[in-house]
Amino acid sequence: MRELLERFQLRNIENSVIGDLKLDPRIFKAFREAPYDMLPGFQAPPGREGKPSNGRGKDHPRYGRFIYAVARALEPEAIVEVGTYAGGTSIGWCRALIDN
């Protein structure tokens, strides 16, 4: 059910954005095909268990998923990320580079 709702919502967004802000359709396709969570087995570091972010930082799994979709669609050979908190987007970048 969640997947169906997500696909419906993405379809509406994809068709409603026009102009310079419209993303490449390959990004939407890659996002729909990407795993929901880039690191589903993540274990909080010692001392972070039970904290609100559970050691993941403020990144929701969808951030890594979106980053993954961008990298899969654009297929860069290298990526430089400057500044990171808990590495959620870094996981997305790295997994996309491997999958590409």
Side-chain angles (χ1 to χ4, degrees):
M1 179 68 164
R2 182 185 77 200
E3 187 175 315
L4 182 63
L5 276 172
E6 190 172 5
R7 286 175 188 252
F8 175 74
Q9 290 169 346
L10 285 173
R11 190 172 300 122
N12 286 339
I13 292 169
E14 184 176 356
N15 294 328
S16 65
V17 178
I18 59 172
D20 293 339
L21 295 178
K22 187 168 183 82
L23 290 173
D24 186 320
R26 294 176 299 170
I27 295 173
F28 281 100
K29 181 179 184 299
F31 186 82
R32 282 193 292 271
E33 295 171 356
Y36 178 77
D37 189 346
M38 294 294 116
L39 202 59
F42 177 82
Q43 295 290 317
R48 292 295 300 179
E49 304 91 347
K51 303 245 174 161
S53 66
N54 200 27
R56 283 190 93 134
K58 298 175 184 175
D59 292 344
H60 186 278
R62 286 178 293 201
Y63 297 158
R65 184 180 181 194
F66 178 74
I67 294 298
Y68 172 85
V70 170
R72 287 287 287 156
L74 302 180
E75 299 181 354
E77 291 183 24
I79 295 171
V80 175
E81 180 176 23
V82 178
T84 186
Y85 179 66
T89 54
S90 296
I91 296 297
W93 291 127
C94 292
R95 180 149 178 200
L97 286 172
I98 290 167
D99 291 349
N100 282 347

